[in-house]
């Protein structure tokens, strides 16, 4: 069964550094999402992306965050200047073109900011 | 999206059925009821979804009340691998975000 893959599985970064989290969605999917989960808390929506533009973003997704689909297969989340509070699991998800199809999630990247 | 209410935790014995309730009294006519689960150290995983009629798939069954104000996810024979947090989510926008609550932690005892 096709799956969403995320790399790296664990990223350790110094505060203030830029970090790029990478995702390869399922190949025929058209809708892409990033979520995050701070340790012990709920899964929170960050941003959705369709047709090469952001469809919706949460208030967490401020100017420090950006997303990109640089080619036909990758979907990236960039955090420009990381803060301690950015430490979390980051999940990428994708879904197909038909109404109410499920979102398929990757296993996440654990981001640790020192 | 409308809010859902789930118990914090439920315990089940292995190979017994598990019934996970979800209340969504403010559901609107176009809201789909989605269930996801999250196993330890993994991303959320789709389980099942429905609108009005009961639904079955290889993972579970979804029973929807006639007034749609509540639903129940049924795991027919719990295994140790079913130990996870189960989320009941109402979805208005067909391609929109999922809004996760705290979910129900299911513990399966051998």
């Amino acid at each position: 069964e096709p799956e969403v893959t995320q790399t790296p599985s664990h990223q350790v970064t110094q505060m203030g550094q830029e970090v790029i989290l990478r995702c390869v969605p399922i190949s025929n999917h058209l809708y892409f999402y990033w979520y995050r989960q701070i340790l012990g808390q709920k899964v929170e929506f960050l941003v959705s992306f369709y047709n090469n533009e952001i469809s919706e973003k949460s208030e967490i997704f401020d100017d420090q965050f950006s997303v990109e689909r640089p080619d036909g297969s990758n979907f990236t989340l960039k955090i420009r200047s990381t803060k301690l509070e950015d430490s979390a699991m980051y999940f990428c998800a994708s879904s197909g073109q038909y109404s109410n199809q499920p979102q398929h999630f990757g296993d996440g990247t654990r981001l640790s900011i020192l | 999206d409308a809010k859902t209410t789930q118990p914090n935790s439920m315990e089940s014995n292995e190979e017994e059925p598990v019934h996970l309730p979800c209340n969504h009294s403010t559901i609107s006519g176009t809201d789909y009821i989605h269930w996801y689960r999250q196993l330890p150290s993994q991303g959320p995983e789709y389980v099942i979804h429905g609108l009005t009629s009961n639904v079955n798939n290889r993972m579970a069954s979804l029973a929807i009340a006639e007034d749609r104000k509540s639903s129940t996810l049924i795991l027919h024979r719990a295994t140790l691998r079913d130990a996870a947090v189960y989320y009941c989510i109402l979805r208005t926008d067909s391609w929109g975000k999922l809004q996760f609550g705290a979910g129900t932690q299911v513990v399966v005892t051998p």
Side-chain angles (χ1 to χ4, degrees):
Chain A
E1 189 171 318
E3 56 182 30
V4 175
T5 56
Q6 291 186 242
T7 54
S9 56
H10 190 190
Q11 173 81 47
V12 182
T13 302
Q14 292 288 332
M15 186 172 60
Q17 296 296 304
E18 175 183 286
V19 67
I20 297 176
L21 309 182
R22 302 181 191 280
C23 169
V24 179
I26 293 172
S27 64
N28 62 348
H29 282 184
L30 300 178
Y31 295 84
F32 312 109
Y33 311 83
W34 283 101
Y35 294 82
R36 79 172 186 190
Q37 187 173 30
I38 295 170
L39 185 64
Q41 298 188 22
K42 300 175 190 178
V43 177
E44 301 174 286
F45 168 76
L46 292 178
V47 66
S48 58
F49 191 86
Y50 169 71
N51 201 26
N52 278 320
E53 56 184 40
I54 291 174
S55 312
E56 185 179 1
K57 58 184 182 180
S58 72
E59 57 187 33
I60 302 168
F61 194 89
D62 61 21
D63 291 345
Q64 296 299 314
F65 291 85
S66 62
V67 288
E68 194 177 32
R69 189 153 160 81
D71 52 42
S73 58
N74 290 286
F75 180 50
T76 62
L77 174 70
K78 184 193 289 187
I79 308 175
R80 191 151 51 93
S81 178
T82 50
K83 307 185 194 80
L84 293 175
E85 54 264 37
D86 293 328
S87 295
M89 284 291 291
Y90 287 80
F91 297 108
C92 171
S94 68
S95 67
Q97 62 180 311
Y98 298 111
S99 172
N100 259 292
Q101 283 196 295
Q103 292 183 15
H104 295 260
F105 286 76
D107 279 338
T109 293
R110 183 191 305 180
L111 179 62
S112 300
I113 308 300
L114 304 179
Chain B
D1 290 323
K3 189 175 163 58
T4 63
T5 305
Q6 299 178 250
N8 290 334
S9 64
M10 291 191 74
E11 197 166 321
S12 173
N13 294 320
E14 201 175 6
E15 300 190 7
E16 294 290 316
V18 183
H19 291 240
L20 300 176
C22 180
N23 285 320
H24 29 79
S25 57
T26 58
I27 191 170
S28 74
T30 54
D31 286 337
Y32 277 78
I33 303 158
H34 285 248
W35 284 82
Y36 283 74
R37 72 180 186 180
Q38 188 174 21
L39 279 65
S41 302
Q42 293 189 24
E45 175 187 27
Y46 168 78
V47 178
I48 201 165
H49 77 280
L51 182 63
T52 55
S53 305
N54 295 344
V55 185
N56 300 296
N57 66 21
R58 63 176 176 81
M59 289 181 73
S61 295
L62 176 60
I64 301 173
E66 204 169 319
D67 63 5
R68 300 205 331 122
K69 292 182 188 290
S70 65
S71 60
T72 302
L73 179 72
I74 303 161
L75 309 177
H76 293 287
R77 287 179 73 233
T79 68
L80 296 178
R81 200 197 170 272
D82 292 321
V85 179
Y86 287 76
Y87 302 99
C88 170
I89 299 170
L90 299 185
R91 201 170 181 205
T92 303
D93 179 349
S94 299
W95 294 275
K97 63 180 182 271
L98 295 171
Q99 290 189 294
F100 291 84
T104 297
Q105 174 72 63
V106 170
V107 175
V108 181
T109 309

